[in-house]
PDB file of all heavy atoms in Angstrom:
ATOM      1  N   LEU B 528     -37.098 -92.449-148.789  1.00  0.00           N
ATOM      2  CA  LEU B 528     -35.828 -91.732-148.903  1.00  0.00           C
ATOM      3  C   LEU B 528     -35.904 -90.367-148.255  1.00  0.00           C
ATOM      4  O   LEU B 528     -36.971 -89.788-148.102  1.00  0.00           O
ATOM      5  CB  LEU B 528     -35.452 -91.545-150.374  1.00  0.00           C
ATOM      6  CG  LEU B 528     -35.240 -92.793-151.202  1.00  0.00           C
ATOM      7  CD1 LEU B 528     -34.900 -92.406-152.618  1.00  0.00           C
ATOM      8  CD2 LEU B 528     -34.144 -93.641-150.607  1.00  0.00           C
ATOM      9  N   ILE B 529     -34.747 -89.900-147.898  1.00  0.00           N
ATOM     10  CA  ILE B 529     -34.593 -88.521-147.475  1.00  0.00           C
ATOM     11  C   ILE B 529     -33.580 -87.927-148.438  1.00  0.00           C
ATOM     12  O   ILE B 529     -32.573 -88.560-148.745  1.00  0.00           O
ATOM     13  CB  ILE B 529     -34.072 -88.443-146.036  1.00  0.00           C
ATOM     14  CG1 ILE B 529     -35.093 -89.028-145.079  1.00  0.00           C
ATOM     15  CG2 ILE B 529     -33.745 -87.019-145.662  1.00  0.00           C
ATOM     16  CD1 ILE B 529     -34.571 -89.222-143.690  1.00  0.00           C
ATOM     17  N   ILE B 530     -33.867 -86.766-148.937  1.00  0.00           N
ATOM     18  CA  ILE B 530     -32.898 -86.147-149.847  1.00  0.00           C
ATOM     19  C   ILE B 530     -32.446 -84.820-149.273  1.00  0.00           C
ATOM     20  O   ILE B 530     -33.250 -84.039-148.778  1.00  0.00           O
ATOM     21  CB  ILE B 530     -33.502 -85.961-151.260  1.00  0.00           C
ATOM     22  CG1 ILE B 530     -33.858 -87.313-151.863  1.00  0.00           C
ATOM     23  CG2 ILE B 530     -32.519 -85.250-152.168  1.00  0.00           C
ATOM     24  CD1 ILE B 530     -34.354 -87.240-153.283  1.00  0.00           C
ATOM     25  N   LEU B 531     -31.150 -84.664-149.317  1.00  0.00           N
ATOM     26  CA  LEU B 531     -30.556 -83.396-148.913  1.00  0.00           C
ATOM     27  C   LEU B 531     -30.303 -82.596-150.174  1.00  0.00           C
ATOM     28  O   LEU B 531     -29.583 -83.044-151.052  1.00  0.00           O
ATOM     29  CB  LEU B 531     -29.211 -83.667-148.252  1.00  0.00           C
ATOM     30  CG  LEU B 531     -29.107 -83.737-146.746  1.00  0.00           C
ATOM     31  CD1 LEU B 531     -27.728 -84.198-146.372  1.00  0.00           C
ATOM     32  CD2 LEU B 531     -29.353 -82.378-146.168  1.00  0.00           C
ATOM     33  N   TRP B 532     -30.872 -81.441-150.240  1.00  0.00           N
ATOM     34  CA  TRP B 532     -30.662 -80.599-151.414  1.00  0.00           C
ATOM     35  C   TRP B 532     -29.721 -79.486-151.032  1.00  0.00           C
ATOM     36  O   TRP B 532     -29.930 -78.807-150.037  1.00  0.00           O
ATOM     37  CB  TRP B 532     -31.992 -80.015-151.883  1.00  0.00           C
ATOM     38  CG  TRP B 532     -33.028 -81.034-152.190  1.00  0.00           C
ATOM     39  CD1 TRP B 532     -33.880 -81.612-151.313  1.00  0.00           C
ATOM     40  CD2 TRP B 532     -33.310 -81.616-153.461  1.00  0.00           C
ATOM     41  NE1 TRP B 532     -34.680 -82.518-151.955  1.00  0.00           N
ATOM     42  CE2 TRP B 532     -34.363 -82.541-153.276  1.00  0.00           C
ATOM     43  CE3 TRP B 532     -32.782 -81.445-154.738  1.00  0.00           C
ATOM     44  CZ2 TRP B 532     -34.885 -83.287-154.331  1.00  0.00           C
ATOM     45  CZ3 TRP B 532     -33.315 -82.176-155.783  1.00  0.00           C
ATOM     46  CH2 TRP B 532     -34.354 -83.098-155.566  1.00  0.00           C
ATOM     47  N   LYS B 533     -28.724 -79.305-151.853  1.00  0.00           N
ATOM     48  CA  LYS B 533     -27.697 -78.331-151.478  1.00  0.00           C
ATOM     49  C   LYS B 533     -27.433 -77.367-152.616  1.00  0.00           C
ATOM     50  O   LYS B 533     -27.658 -77.688-153.785  1.00  0.00           O
ATOM     51  CB  LYS B 533     -26.397 -79.052-151.160  1.00  0.00           C
ATOM     52  CG  LYS B 533     -26.561 -80.108-150.115  1.00  0.00           C
ATOM     53  CD  LYS B 533     -25.595 -79.862-149.022  1.00  0.00           C
ATOM     54  CE  LYS B 533     -25.843 -80.774-147.863  1.00  0.00           C
ATOM     55  NZ  LYS B 533     -25.297 -80.196-146.664  1.00  0.00           N
ATOM     56  N   ASN B 534     -26.917 -76.249-152.223  1.00  0.00           N
ATOM     57  CA  ASN B 534     -26.466 -75.295-153.211  1.00  0.00           C
ATOM     58  C   ASN B 534     -25.107 -75.761-153.719  1.00  0.00           C
ATOM     59  O   ASN B 534     -24.111 -75.679-153.016  1.00  0.00           O
ATOM     60  CB  ASN B 534     -26.355 -73.929-152.550  1.00  0.00           C
ATOM     61  CG  ASN B 534     -25.965 -72.868-153.535  1.00  0.00           C
ATOM     62  OD1 ASN B 534     -25.357 -73.162-154.563  1.00  0.00           O
ATOM     63  ND2 ASN B 534     -26.314 -71.642-153.233  1.00  0.00           N
ATOM     64  N   GLY B 535     -25.115 -76.257-154.942  1.00  0.00           N
ATOM     65  CA  GLY B 535     -23.915 -76.883-155.462  1.00  0.00           C
ATOM     66  C   GLY B 535     -22.721 -75.977-155.495  1.00  0.00           C
ATOM     67  O   GLY B 535     -21.610 -76.371-155.167  1.00  0.00           O
ATOM     68  N   GLU B 536     -22.975 -74.748-155.852  1.00  0.00           N
ATOM     69  CA  GLU B 536     -21.857 -73.830-155.977  1.00  0.00           C
ATOM     70  C   GLU B 536     -21.214 -73.584-154.621  1.00  0.00           C
ATOM     71  O   GLU B 536     -19.995 -73.604-154.477  1.00  0.00           O
ATOM     72  CB  GLU B 536     -22.368 -72.507-156.542  1.00  0.00           C
ATOM     73  CG  GLU B 536     -21.529 -71.967-157.653  1.00  0.00           C
ATOM     74  CD  GLU B 536     -22.260 -70.855-158.340  1.00  0.00           C
ATOM     75  OE1 GLU B 536     -23.180 -71.148-159.144  1.00  0.00           O
ATOM     76  OE2 GLU B 536     -21.952 -69.701-158.045  1.00  0.00           O
ATOM     77  N   ARG B 537     -22.081 -73.400-153.644  1.00  0.00           N
ATOM     78  CA  ARG B 537     -21.555 -73.128-152.318  1.00  0.00           C
ATOM     79  C   ARG B 537     -20.811 -74.345-151.781  1.00  0.00           C
ATOM     80  O   ARG B 537     -19.742 -74.225-151.190  1.00  0.00           O
ATOM     81  CB  ARG B 537     -22.693 -72.752-151.375  1.00  0.00           C
ATOM     82  CG  ARG B 537     -22.182 -72.024-150.177  1.00  0.00           C
ATOM     83  CD  ARG B 537     -23.255 -71.268-149.489  1.00  0.00           C
ATOM     84  NE  ARG B 537     -24.063 -72.159-148.664  1.00  0.00           N
ATOM     85  CZ  ARG B 537     -25.094 -71.744-147.942  1.00  0.00           C
ATOM     86  NH1 ARG B 537     -25.451 -70.489-147.989  1.00  0.00           N
ATOM     87  NH2 ARG B 537     -25.769 -72.572-147.206  1.00  0.00           N
ATOM     88  N   GLU B 538     -21.395 -75.503-151.997  1.00  0.00           N
ATOM     89  CA  GLU B 538     -20.747 -76.720-151.518  1.00  0.00           C
ATOM     90  C   GLU B 538     -19.379 -76.881-152.162  1.00  0.00           C
ATOM     91  O   GLU B 538     -18.419 -77.284-151.521  1.00  0.00           O
ATOM     92  CB  GLU B 538     -21.612 -77.938-151.858  1.00  0.00           C
ATOM     93  CG  GLU B 538     -22.901 -78.014-151.077  1.00  0.00           C
ATOM     94  CD  GLU B 538     -22.653 -78.216-149.597  1.00  0.00           C
ATOM     95  OE1 GLU B 538     -21.862 -79.111-149.270  1.00  0.00           O
ATOM     96  OE2 GLU B 538     -23.235 -77.482-148.791  1.00  0.00           O
ATOM     97  N   SER B 539     -19.351 -76.569-153.444  1.00  0.00           N
ATOM     98  CA  SER B 539     -18.098 -76.696-154.168  1.00  0.00           C
ATOM     99  C   SER B 539     -17.040 -75.776-153.567  1.00  0.00           C
ATOM    100  O   SER B 539     -15.890 -76.164-153.366  1.00  0.00           O
ATOM    101  CB  SER B 539     -18.348 -76.358-155.630  1.00  0.00           C
ATOM    102  OG  SER B 539     -17.174 -76.425-156.347  1.00  0.00           O
ATOM    103  N   GLU B 540     -17.467 -74.558-153.261  1.00  0.00           N
ATOM    104  CA  GLU B 540     -16.515 -73.630-152.659  1.00  0.00           C
ATOM    105  C   GLU B 540     -16.061 -74.118-151.296  1.00  0.00           C
ATOM    106  O   GLU B 540     -14.883 -74.024-150.943  1.00  0.00           O
ATOM    107  CB  GLU B 540     -17.148 -72.249-152.526  1.00  0.00           C
ATOM    108  CG  GLU B 540     -17.021 -71.434-153.790  1.00  0.00           C
ATOM    109  CD  GLU B 540     -17.938 -70.245-153.779  1.00  0.00           C
ATOM    110  OE1 GLU B 540     -18.216 -69.717-152.683  1.00  0.00           O
ATOM    111  OE2 GLU B 540     -18.391 -69.848-154.868  1.00  0.00           O
ATOM    112  N   LEU B 541     -17.013 -74.648-150.552  1.00  0.00           N
ATOM    113  CA  LEU B 541     -16.664 -75.165-149.226  1.00  0.00           C
ATOM    114  C   LEU B 541     -15.638 -76.281-149.327  1.00  0.00           C
ATOM    115  O   LEU B 541     -14.670 -76.333-148.568  1.00  0.00           O
ATOM    116  CB  LEU B 541     -17.915 -75.704-148.536  1.00  0.00           C
ATOM    117  CG  LEU B 541     -18.814 -74.659-147.892  1.00  0.00           C
ATOM    118  CD1 LEU B 541     -20.052 -75.323-147.323  1.00  0.00           C
ATOM    119  CD2 LEU B 541     -18.051 -73.930-146.801  1.00  0.00           C
ATOM    120  N   ARG B 542     -15.884 -77.146-150.274  1.00  0.00           N
ATOM    121  CA  ARG B 542     -14.950 -78.266-150.444  1.00  0.00           C
ATOM    122  C   ARG B 542     -13.575 -77.751-150.832  1.00  0.00           C
ATOM    123  O   ARG B 542     -12.556 -78.261-150.381  1.00  0.00           O
ATOM    124  CB  ARG B 542     -15.474 -79.225-151.503  1.00  0.00           C
ATOM    125  CG  ARG B 542     -16.457 -80.232-150.963  1.00  0.00           C
ATOM    126  CD  ARG B 542     -16.665 -81.353-151.938  1.00  0.00           C
ATOM    127  NE  ARG B 542     -17.427 -80.924-153.098  1.00  0.00           N
ATOM    128  CZ  ARG B 542     -18.757 -80.996-153.166  1.00  0.00           C
ATOM    129  NH1 ARG B 542     -19.442 -81.476-152.171  1.00  0.00           N
ATOM    130  NH2 ARG B 542     -19.393 -80.607-154.241  1.00  0.00           N
ATOM    131  N   SER B 543     -13.604 -76.734-151.660  1.00  0.00           N
ATOM    132  CA  SER B 543     -12.329 -76.163-152.083  1.00  0.00           C
ATOM    133  C   SER B 543     -11.568 -75.619-150.883  1.00  0.00           C
ATOM    134  O   SER B 543     -10.368 -75.850-150.728  1.00  0.00           O
ATOM    135  CB  SER B 543     -12.616 -75.050-153.080  1.00  0.00           C
ATOM    136  OG  SER B 543     -11.564 -74.906-153.953  1.00  0.00           O
ATOM    137  N   LEU B 544     -12.298 -74.916-150.037  1.00  0.00           N
ATOM    138  CA  LEU B 544     -11.657 -74.392-148.833  1.00  0.00           C
ATOM    139  C   LEU B 544     -11.101 -75.519-147.984  1.00  0.00           C
ATOM    140  O   LEU B 544      -9.980 -75.450-147.489  1.00  0.00           O
ATOM    141  CB  LEU B 544     -12.675 -73.595-148.013  1.00  0.00           C
ATOM    142  CG  LEU B 544     -13.029 -72.223-148.549  1.00  0.00           C
ATOM    143  CD1 LEU B 544     -14.021 -71.538-147.625  1.00  0.00           C
ATOM    144  CD2 LEU B 544     -11.773 -71.383-148.675  1.00  0.00           C
ATOM    145  N   LYS B 545     -11.926 -76.540-147.846  1.00  0.00           N
ATOM    146  CA  LYS B 545     -11.493 -77.667-147.027  1.00  0.00           C
ATOM    147  C   LYS B 545     -10.247 -78.316-147.602  1.00  0.00           C
ATOM    148  O   LYS B 545      -9.355 -78.739-146.881  1.00  0.00           O
ATOM    149  CB  LYS B 545     -12.624 -78.715-146.946  1.00  0.00           C
ATOM    150  CG  LYS B 545     -13.316 -78.709-145.622  1.00  0.00           C
ATOM    151  CD  LYS B 545     -14.082 -79.962-145.267  1.00  0.00           C
ATOM    152  CE  LYS B 545     -14.974 -80.616-146.206  1.00  0.00           C
ATOM    153  NZ  LYS B 545     -16.053 -81.395-145.791  1.00  0.00           N
ATOM    154  N   LEU B 546     -10.232 -78.361-148.908  1.00  0.00           N
ATOM    155  CA  LEU B 546      -9.079 -78.958-149.585  1.00  0.00           C
ATOM    156  C   LEU B 546      -7.805 -78.219-149.222  1.00  0.00           C
ATOM    157  O   LEU B 546      -6.800 -78.830-148.850  1.00  0.00           O
ATOM    158  CB  LEU B 546      -9.307 -78.919-151.093  1.00  0.00           C
ATOM    159  CG  LEU B 546      -8.142 -79.379-151.939  1.00  0.00           C
ATOM    160  CD1 LEU B 546      -8.183 -80.887-152.067  1.00  0.00           C
ATOM    161  CD2 LEU B 546      -8.178 -78.746-153.305  1.00  0.00           C
ATOM    162  N   PHE B 547      -7.889 -76.904-149.306  1.00  0.00           N
ATOM    163  CA  PHE B 547      -6.665 -76.164-149.021  1.00  0.00           C
ATOM    164  C   PHE B 547      -6.311 -76.224-147.542  1.00  0.00           C
ATOM    165  O   PHE B 547      -5.144 -76.217-147.176  1.00  0.00           O
ATOM    166  CB  PHE B 547      -6.801 -74.729-149.508  1.00  0.00           C
ATOM    167  CG  PHE B 547      -6.731 -74.638-150.994  1.00  0.00           C
ATOM    168  CD1 PHE B 547      -7.843 -74.338-151.747  1.00  0.00           C
ATOM    169  CD2 PHE B 547      -5.543 -74.907-151.653  1.00  0.00           C
ATOM    170  CE1 PHE B 547      -7.784 -74.300-153.125  1.00  0.00           C
ATOM    171  CE2 PHE B 547      -5.475 -74.862-153.030  1.00  0.00           C
ATOM    172  CZ  PHE B 547      -6.598 -74.555-153.770  1.00  0.00           C
TER     173      PHE B 547
END
Side-chain angles (χ1 to χ4, degrees):
Chain B
L528 299 179
I529 295 169
I530 298 185
L531 263 172
W532 303 85
K533 305 234 172 203
N534 183 336
E536 227 167 283
R537 200 161 79 180
E538 291 295 311
S539 178
E540 275 165 31
L541 280 177
R542 276 195 288 269
S543 208
L544 285 181
K545 255 200 314 206
L546 174 85
F547 287 109

